[in-house]
Amino acid sequence: MSFGPPPSVFTQSALAADRTARKRRRTKLLGALAALVVVGLCAGGWLLSSAGDDSASADGKTAPVVQSPDDIRETIEKAPGSPEGQLVIEHNEENLSKSTETNPRYAPGTWATDKIFARGVADRIEGYRIKPTYDETAWTLKLGGHLCATSRHVTADGRTAVVVQPPKAEGAETEGVCDQVVFVDLNTGKKLWQKKMPSAQFAYVTNTNLTLTKGVVAVAWGRGSVAYDMKDGKQLWNSTTVSKCEDKGFAGGRALLALVSCGEATDATYKVQRLEPRTGKPQWTYKVASGVQAVYLPSSDPPVLAVAAGDSAVTDLISLDDHGEHLATMSLSGYDAKCGDRYYSSPYFGVTENCDGMVVGRNQAYVMSKENIANDQPSDWIVAFDLKTGTTQGKFDGRWMQMVHPLRTSGDELLIYRRGAGTLAPAAVVSWNPRTDKETPYLFFQLPDDDEYELSDPEQTDIVFEKGRIFFGARALVRDDDAPKDPVLSAIGVGSAGLKH
C-alpha cells in the first residue's frame, strides 16, 4: 500500500484541498461579560423551571472513582451553586495578517485542567490561566515543528501527548514527515519527554493517529505503529514490518483498540483488535463486513465501531462485548455522528476516535440527529441507544433554533451543549439523565454574535467541558479581511459566577 508523500500540511496546495469556501467574520469580544450576566439573569428562572423536580433520590448517579495518575481522566461533574455564566477565558491570537481561508493558522488540540486551559497553535502549545475577565498566558511550549496529531485524552494528573512534524528543507525526501512524539504536563507546560518514532518516513498529518490509555501513549500511521511508556518515554513495542494488514489508528481511554486495514485502499477490509497496551499483543479480533468504506472507533471500552457501509458517511454503529463478539447494530439513518468531519472532512490531526456528534457511555451511545429546519419544532435531538440491544432508550429534544450537541458523559449522565438563539434565549450546558429524563442546568451564557455560529459548530470548534466550565477553541484561525491586522478570537471559556476560580 502506498500513500506517497503528500504536500506539507502548511503548504498552499494541501490546505486548499477538500475545502468549502466559507466566509468567517471574527471580532474581538467587547462587552461580553456584561452580556453574559444580563442574559443569564433574564433567562435563569426559565432554565431552572425547565429542569424538573430536584428531589428525586434514586437517580442512579455514579459516585466519583479514585483514579491513579496514569489513568485517563473521567471527571464526574457536580451542578454548580449558580448556573449564571461568567467569562473565565478570552484569548485572541495575534499576527494573523497572512492567514486566509485557504491558508489558515491551524489550532489542533484543546485541553483543560483545574487551573489551565491549553491550546495547540501551529508549532506550539500555550497554557492560559483560568481567571474571570483576565487573559493571562501562563506558559508557552515551543515544539520545534508543527503539530501533526493530538488526542482528546488527558491523564488524571493533567498530562497529554502530541505528534510533531520537524521542519525540513523544501523538497527534502522527508519533508512533511511527522515523526516526533512529545509528552506534556498541561499544568506547567513542561515537556516531559520527546521521542522519534521508528521507521516513520510515511507518517504525515493526513494519516497519523495518536491516543492514550493507562500508562501508554500509542501512535499509528498506516505503515507502522509504536507505543511508549508514559513514565519515561521508553518504547514498549512497535510494528513497522511490511504486511498486507496495517494499523490505521488506535482508540484509547479505558482500553486500547486498534483499527487494522488489509489490502489496497480502494477495496480494503477492516478488523478491530483489542490490544494488551504494554505488549501490543491482540486479545481478540473482530472482522468488519466487507464493503465498508470507513471505520471509526468512538469508544474502546465498551468497544463501539462507527462504520460507513457503502458510503463515506457513517451509516451504522456496532457494539461489541468484552470478548469482541457482536452485540448490536444500530442504524444511523437520520442521525449525524460527525465522524471524520473536522477540517472540511480532510483527515488532518487524527480521525480514528473523533466522532463529534456522538458520545459513548458505559451502557449507551448518544447520537445527535440531523438538523431539522421545520418551524416551531426542535432543531435537532439526541437519542440514547442501548449498547446491548440496539434499541432506543431515551430522547433529548433541542429547541426551535437551538440545536443540542452531546459533549461527554459524567458518570451515568450526559452533558449537553445547547446553542443560544440570539437575544431570544441563552446558550446552555445541561446534564441529562436518560433513565429519569431529568434535565439539570449547569451553565447559561451568551456567546458573541459574530462568532456564535462557528464556536457552536463541533465541526469547526473544540468544545470541552471540565470542572464546571465550558471552553470553545476554534480549530482554524483566519484573519478578518476587513481588519487584517486585528487580533482574532481564538478561544473563550465560561464558568459559573458562583464557582471559585
Side-chain angles (χ1 to χ4, degrees):
M1 182 188 235
S2 176
F3 291 100
S8 169
V9 63
F10 299 100
T11 63
Q12 182 79 8
S13 56
L15 293 174
D18 296 326
R19 199 167 271 125
T20 301
R22 185 178 297 178
K23 172 70 175 176
R24 294 193 188 97
R25 187 167 186 273
R26 297 173 178 271
T27 60
K28 292 185 70 176
L29 185 56
L30 301 176
L33 179 61
L36 291 174
V37 174
V38 171
V39 174
L41 289 173
C42 294
W46 166 66
L47 274 174
L48 286 169
S49 66
S50 69
D53 184 3
D54 195 41
S55 62
S57 58
D59 58 1
K61 285 189 176 180
T62 301
V65 177
V66 177
Q67 292 189 291
S68 68
D70 280 349
D71 284 332
I72 303 306
R73 182 179 63 191
E74 296 184 56
T75 308
I76 296 179
E77 303 285 349
K78 296 181 179 179
S82 167
E84 178 189 328
Q86 67 171 349
L87 279 175
V88 295
I89 288 288
E90 177 200 343
H91 183 74
N92 295 283
E93 188 71 8
E94 306 281 349
N95 304 317
L96 287 179
S97 58
K98 295 181 180 180
S99 178
T100 65
E101 288 288 344
T102 57
N103 187 20
R105 179 173 296 180
Y106 280 136
T110 301
W111 311 274
T113 68
D114 287 354
K115 302 296 183 182
I116 295 293
F117 171 68
R119 295 219 64 204
V121 182
D123 59 355
R124 67 189 186 277
I125 303 175
E126 292 184 345
Y128 313 122
R129 207 173 305 281
I130 301 172
K131 286 188 176 181
T133 68
Y134 189 65
D135 180 17
E136 177 186 352
T137 300
W139 52 260
T140 299
L141 176 61
K142 295 182 179 179
L143 298 169
H146 285 289
L147 286 158
C148 277
T150 66
S151 171
R152 69 176 185 269
H153 296 303
V154 176
T155 64
D157 64 352
R159 296 168 292 159
T160 194
V162 297
V163 176
V164 176
Q165 174 198 93
K168 298 287 184 180
E170 186 175 349
E173 186 176 346
T174 55
E175 181 188 6
V177 170
C178 304
D179 61 0
Q180 300 285 325
V181 183
V182 181
F183 198 51
V184 181
D185 186 328
L186 295 172
N187 287 303
T188 65
K190 181 181 179 181
K191 182 195 296 182
L192 301 176
W193 49 259
Q194 181 168 348
K195 299 295 179 180
K196 183 174 181 179
M197 292 149 49
S199 304
Q201 63 269 30
F202 293 102
Y204 301 104
V205 71
T206 53
N207 64 356
T208 302
N209 288 271
L210 163 76
T211 198
L212 284 70
T213 189
K214 183 175 182 178
V216 175
V217 176
V219 190
W221 57 94
R223 285 290 189 90
S225 58
V226 62
Y228 299 95
D229 191 322
M230 283 183 182
K231 182 179 180 181
D232 53 13
K234 177 183 178 181
Q235 182 177 305
L236 298 174
W237 49 268
N238 76 85
S239 173
T240 56
T241 58
V242 177
S243 170
K244 293 182 179 180
C245 296
E246 302 169 336
D247 291 337
K248 301 291 288 184
F250 296 118
R254 303 186 193 111
L256 183 63
L257 295 187
L259 174 62
V260 182
S261 171
C262 301
E264 294 297 323
T266 54
D267 59 351
T269 59
Y270 297 93
K271 57 185 177 181
V272 174
Q273 295 180 323
R274 178 164 179 166
L275 306 183
E276 203 295 313
R278 303 196 70 83
T279 66
K281 294 182 178 179
Q283 297 176 320
W284 51 252
T285 299
Y286 174 81
K287 293 184 178 180
V288 181
S290 60
V292 167
Q293 301 299 308
V295 179
Y296 302 88
L297 304 176
S299 174
S300 66
D301 181 12
V304 175
L305 289 61
V307 301
D311 197 353
S312 58
V314 167
T315 56
D316 300 275
L317 291 184
I318 298 173
S319 58
L320 309 177
D321 66 15
D322 291 338
H323 304 287
E325 298 294 331
H326 178 271
L327 283 176
T329 297
M330 292 146 274
S331 172
L332 293 190
S333 176
Y335 295 90
D336 190 5
K338 296 188 181 298
C339 301
D341 283 352
R342 298 178 176 182
Y343 307 102
Y344 301 95
S345 299
S346 297
Y348 296 159
F349 309 112
V351 299
T352 301
E353 293 182 288
N354 296 331
C355 292
D356 296 307
M358 65 172 293
V359 168
V360 179
R362 285 290 190 180
N363 302 300
Q364 295 172 317
Y366 307 92
V367 189
M368 63 182 289
S369 72
K370 292 182 179 179
E371 185 173 4
N372 176 28
I373 61 174
N375 288 333
D376 298 323
Q377 294 184 18
S379 291
D380 76 333
W381 47 87
I382 297 170
V383 171
F385 291 92
D386 183 86
L387 294 177
K388 289 185 178 180
T389 65
T391 57
T392 58
Q393 289 198 322
K395 179 185 176 189
F396 184 92
D397 281 327
R399 293 172 176 164
W400 183 51
M401 297 193 303
Q402 289 188 270
M403 294 186 69
V404 287
H405 308 282
L407 296 177
R408 65 172 176 86
T409 56
S410 173
D412 291 328
E413 299 191 353
L414 179 68
L415 298 176
I416 295 170
Y417 169 60
R418 181 164 56 216
R419 291 189 184 185
T423 59
L424 298 179
V429 177
V430 300
S431 179
W432 177 51
N433 186 320
R435 294 167 304 285
T436 64
D437 201 32
K438 179 183 177 182
E439 173 187 340
T440 303
Y442 274 44
L443 288 173
F444 53 89
F445 51 94
Q446 188 81 15
L447 291 174
D449 290 342
D450 288 339
D451 300 281
E452 192 278 335
Y453 177 80
E454 182 174 345
L455 290 177
S456 294
D457 183 1
E459 294 182 19
Q460 301 184 69
T461 298
D462 288 337
I463 307 176
V464 174
F465 191 90
E466 185 65 25
K467 299 293 184 182
R469 303 145 174 153
I470 188 169
F471 303 93
F472 301 81
R475 298 192 187 106
L477 306 178
V478 178
R479 69 179 183 181
D480 186 337
D481 289 339
D482 295 332
K485 294 185 179 180
D486 281 2
V488 171
L489 180 63
S490 171
I492 66 172
V494 179
S496 169
L499 179 67
K500 292 182 179 181
H501 300 278

